[in-house]
């Protein structure tokens, strides 16, 4: 009976967390968009980086904020620099045409240089609800310091 209670308690907690997030969805989404906008405004003058573009016909759900670095080497150095300063930034995009699955099953692997560029150069910055404005300023400042 103890195992059943644990399982019931576990699933009930997951359900309650889900319901809480649904109730707070608008607040959470507003905060994520605010973080995204702070990154954009703070980094738009770093000419070495390319920033996300949201077309006029689209909306921004602030799922993530990424930058495109000039090269794989610079992205790797920036990841390390941020890590040394207690900021975890990660690469995000992997070219599917170079995946192990595709290598096994594809008759031929196409040359997709733009996909490879994003694999090598895209860097995802921290973006989560509890990220503070001070954290965001620190990350933006570190990136400016890195490129100056």
């Amino acid at each position: 009976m103890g195992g059943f209670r644990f399982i019931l308690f576990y699933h009930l907690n997951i359900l309650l967390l889900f319901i809480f997030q649904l109730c707070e969805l608008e607040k959470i989404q507003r905060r994520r968009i605010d973080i995204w906008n702070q990154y954009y405004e703070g980094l738009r003058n770093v000419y070495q980086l390319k920033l996300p573009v949201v077309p006029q016909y689209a909306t921004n759900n602030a799922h993530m904020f990424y930058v495109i670095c000039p090269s794989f080497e610079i992205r790797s150095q920036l990841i390390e620099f941020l890590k040394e300063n207690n900021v975890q930034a990660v690469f995000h995009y992997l070219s599917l045409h170079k995946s192990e699955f595709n290598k096994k099953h594809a008759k031929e692997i196409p040359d997709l240089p733009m996909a490879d560029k994003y694999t090598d150069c895209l860097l995802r910055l921290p973006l989560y609800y509890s990220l503070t404005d001070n954290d965001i300023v620190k990350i933006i400042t570190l990136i400016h310091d890195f490129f100056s």
Side-chain angles (χ1 to χ4, degrees):
M1 192 65 157
F4 174 75
R5 285 186 189 154
F6 172 78
I7 290 170
L8 181 62
F9 179 75
Y10 174 79
H11 288 287
L12 194 57
N13 277 333
I14 296 293
L15 182 60
L16 289 173
L17 285 170
F18 178 72
I19 291 170
F20 173 77
Q21 283 198 330
L22 277 179
C23 293
E24 297 290 312
L25 184 61
E26 190 174 313
K27 180 180 173 184
I28 292 168
Q29 193 60 32
R30 275 195 317 267
R31 177 66 184 147
R32 292 179 66 89
I33 290 170
D34 180 54
I35 294 167
W36 195 98
N37 287 333
Q38 286 184 62
Y39 276 139
Y40 191 88
E41 288 302 313
L43 296 173
R44 67 184 181 153
N45 294 325
V46 180
Y47 72 90
Q48 298 94 329
L49 297 175
K50 291 185 180 173
L51 302 182
V53 174
V54 179
Q56 281 196 307
Y57 60 82
T59 59
N60 180 8
N61 69 1
H63 165 68
M64 70 172 158
F65 190 90
Y66 64 86
V67 295
I68 308 295
C69 296
S71 68
F72 173 80
E73 293 76 19
I74 291 174
R75 182 190 73 180
S76 298
Q77 292 167 6
L78 180 55
I79 289 171
E80 188 59 33
F81 177 75
L82 292 171
K83 183 178 176 183
E84 289 167 1
N85 288 280
N86 300 312
V87 174
Q88 184 180 7
V90 295
F91 60 87
H92 175 79
Y93 179 80
L94 299 173
S95 298
L96 295 178
H97 69 287
K98 290 190 173 176
S99 70
E100 289 303 315
F101 179 86
N102 198 50
K103 288 178 185 175
K104 285 182 189 175
H105 300 288
K107 292 182 179 166
E108 63 182 73
I109 297 175
D111 183 32
L112 300 171
M114 291 307 295
D116 294 335
K117 177 169 177 56
Y118 289 115
T119 293
D120 291 345
C121 300
L122 192 142
L123 179 64
R124 188 173 173 171
L125 300 181
L127 198 160
Y128 49 90
Y129 177 75
S130 60
L131 195 66
T132 68
D133 289 344
N134 287 339
D135 293 333
I136 299 162
V137 169
K138 173 187 173 182
I139 294 165
I140 292 168
T141 301
L142 286 169
I143 293 171
H144 276 272
D145 291 349
F146 177 82
F147 283 106
S148 61

